Amino acid sequence: KELSEELSVPMPYVEEELEIQCRGENGEYGMLRQLNDGKYTINTLLVDYDEYLQANNIFEKYLPELCKIINQTLSDKSKKILSFPFLSRQDNLNFIFWSLIQKINNHFEDKVNELLKEKYFCDVKPVERVFSTATIAYTNEQNPTFDVWGCDSAFSNAIGGYQSVFVSNIYGKYLDRHFYVGHNLSCDQKILMLLRSIHGITIDSLTEIEKEIVAQCIECGYLQKNDNLVEPKIVIIDKKDAADFNHLAMEFVKDMQPIIEKIAAELSVFLKKHIPAHLMNEYQNYTYLIATAQNYSKLIDACLQENILSKPKNRLGAEGVFMIVEI
């Protein structure tokens, strides 16, 4: 009745909508929940734009320290990174780092959430579901900016002469997306040509149609031409070396522990102040979906400014395209 009066909508329509909102499209996760007293309340994280900025600032103010650590680690591990058994020719640390930075950021955020769970929310069991949502409310006068980056990936078995292929691409302010999540690799002629070129192919051995595909691959950054040889430009590794590549990213995060502890301490106070009591088990989702929403983008900006990352020459390029093949 209260909702009906507040919205000036007849009760039968409100009742029907409440049933839909509580059930959710999948019948398990709705945007509202019914309380024991018969009233309804929100069942998803909702913040205003000011709170969103305050939460993100907790991470942002430590960016200079993070970049200092990254720069030092990159220098210390340069030989180890450059000697990694890539399946594509790689000799530029700043370019390779495009394939490491997303892993570093993910590990960093995971470590913050792990510490929150172990030290500050040990008595709260995090909610478990296939997906979660968060909402940021703003007014036009606030002129909001949501500077976020995405990462889409695709996987396929028995393709291009390999047992399996995984490929991902990041996209945002400086880079456009090559493909969406779940992209059909077997129908992508550029991806198939990229796989064929892993060990290098000569241009003379190609048909005219294949040369056109190669030209498209070069234009979008998948391939590069060295004299009469065409070979991959993106970072490609063997599946057997994937754990070692992931460990490279972890080595950057290892030295960030003092910062992680500072952020977790400050963030725990912020979360307990701003998350409604009945949604406190969403604290990890708050961290991932709200408090760190802009962290990845800000980290990329800072790394570009410090010349840790190579600046993309084209919006559709090789930067951040990462492939794992199983031979």
Side-chain angles (χ1 to χ4, degrees):
K1 183 180 179 181
E2 290 177 14
L3 286 168
S4 176
E5 293 173 353
E6 180 72 22
L7 300 172
S8 299
V9 175
M11 282 185 61
Y13 294 104
V14 172
E15 290 174 347
E16 180 181 2
E17 183 62 26
L18 284 172
E19 183 180 345
I20 293 171
Q21 292 290 350
C22 287
R23 184 180 67 248
E25 189 171 337
N26 62 355
E28 298 178 2
Y29 178 38
M31 299 296 99
L32 297 177
R33 69 166 69 171
Q34 187 174 16
L35 303 175
N36 293 332
D37 61 3
K39 292 189 176 183
Y40 296 84
T41 190
I42 194 167
N43 194 40
T44 184
L45 295 167
L46 170 65
V47 305
D48 61 30
Y49 188 61
D50 289 336
E51 181 181 332
Y52 168 76
L53 293 179
Q54 291 170 27
N56 276 267
N57 186 58
I58 294 174
F59 284 79
E60 187 176 346
K61 65 185 179 183
Y62 291 101
L63 278 175
E65 291 182 56
L66 288 175
C67 280
K68 186 177 180 179
I69 293 172
I70 289 173
N71 221 342
Q72 185 61 53
T73 306
L74 193 63
S75 177
D76 294 342
K77 305 295 181 182
S78 59
K79 290 183 179 179
K80 186 175 182 180
I81 295 172
L82 291 172
S83 63
F84 193 87
F86 295 108
L87 295 180
S88 54
R89 190 195 310 239
Q90 302 297 334
D91 55 10
N92 186 326
L93 275 174
N94 305 106
F95 175 78
I96 296 171
F97 198 71
W98 276 106
S99 294
L100 283 170
I101 190 169
Q102 195 233 355
K103 298 178 184 297
I104 292 170
N105 185 70
N106 287 348
H107 288 316
F108 178 78
E109 292 177 3
D110 288 344
K111 288 296 182 182
V112 170
N113 252 336
E114 285 175 14
L115 190 55
L116 285 172
K117 181 180 179 180
E118 294 169 1
K119 190 172 183 179
Y120 300 101
F121 291 89
C122 54
D123 58 337
V124 180
K125 183 181 179 180
V127 65
E128 296 181 7
R129 62 170 74 96
V130 176
F131 73 95
S132 297
T133 65
T135 303
I136 301 161
Y138 60 89
T139 63
N140 291 333
E141 290 75 16
Q142 288 177 308
N143 191 25
T145 299
F146 298 103
D147 184 12
V148 297
W149 282 66
C151 178
D152 284 6
S153 61
F155 175 84
S156 181
N157 285 312
I159 176 177
Y162 294 93
Q163 292 189 52
S164 67
V165 173
F166 167 87
V167 61
S168 63
N169 69 149
I170 62 174
Y171 51 91
K173 187 190 302 183
Y174 309 109
L175 292 170
D176 290 332
R177 176 167 31 199
H178 286 268
F179 51 82
Y180 290 88
V181 63
H183 180 63
N184 190 337
L185 300 180
S186 62
C187 293
D188 189 324
Q189 294 299 316
K190 293 195 293 293
I191 291 292
L192 293 175
M193 181 59 72
L194 174 59
L195 291 170
R196 182 179 165 186
S197 306
I198 285 180
H199 298 294
I201 53 176
T202 59
I203 295 176
D204 295 340
S205 66
L206 302 173
T207 66
E208 291 304 315
I209 293 178
E210 289 171 337
K211 288 178 182 178
E212 289 181 13
I213 298 173
V214 166
Q216 294 172 14
C217 289
I218 293 174
E219 185 178 3
C220 75
Y222 284 170
L223 297 177
Q224 58 188 349
K225 181 181 175 184
N226 292 308
D227 295 325
N228 192 43
L229 190 70
V230 174
E231 56 187 6
K233 186 176 181 180
I234 70 168
V235 173
I236 305 177
I237 66 172
D238 192 314
K239 185 178 180 180
K240 65 180 177 59
D241 300 317
D244 291 336
F245 192 76
N246 189 58
H247 184 68
L248 283 178
M250 287 295 294
E251 291 190 31
F252 284 84
V253 181
K254 181 175 61 176
D255 294 330
M256 298 176 181
Q257 191 60 33
I259 299 176
I260 290 171
E261 292 178 2
K262 292 177 186 177
I263 289 176
E266 188 173 344
L267 188 59
S268 66
V269 175
F270 188 89
L271 295 176
K272 291 174 181 178
K273 179 180 179 181
H274 290 88
I275 299 178
H278 72 282
L279 291 178
M280 197 58 69
N281 62 349
E282 301 262 7
Y283 72 89
Q284 290 190 335
N285 291 327
Y286 191 108
T287 302
Y288 286 126
L289 300 177
I290 297 173
T292 64
Q294 293 191 142
N295 187 57
Y296 187 27
S297 179
K298 297 294 185 182
L299 182 60
I300 288 176
D301 284 344
C303 287
L304 282 168
Q305 188 173 355
E306 296 294 326
N307 295 316
I308 298 171
L309 285 171
S310 57
K311 190 171 184 179
K313 295 180 180 179
N314 302 300
R315 287 200 57 85
L316 196 63
E319 291 84 0
V321 184
F322 176 67
M323 179 177 279
I324 302 174
V325 299
E326 184 179 7
I327 299 174

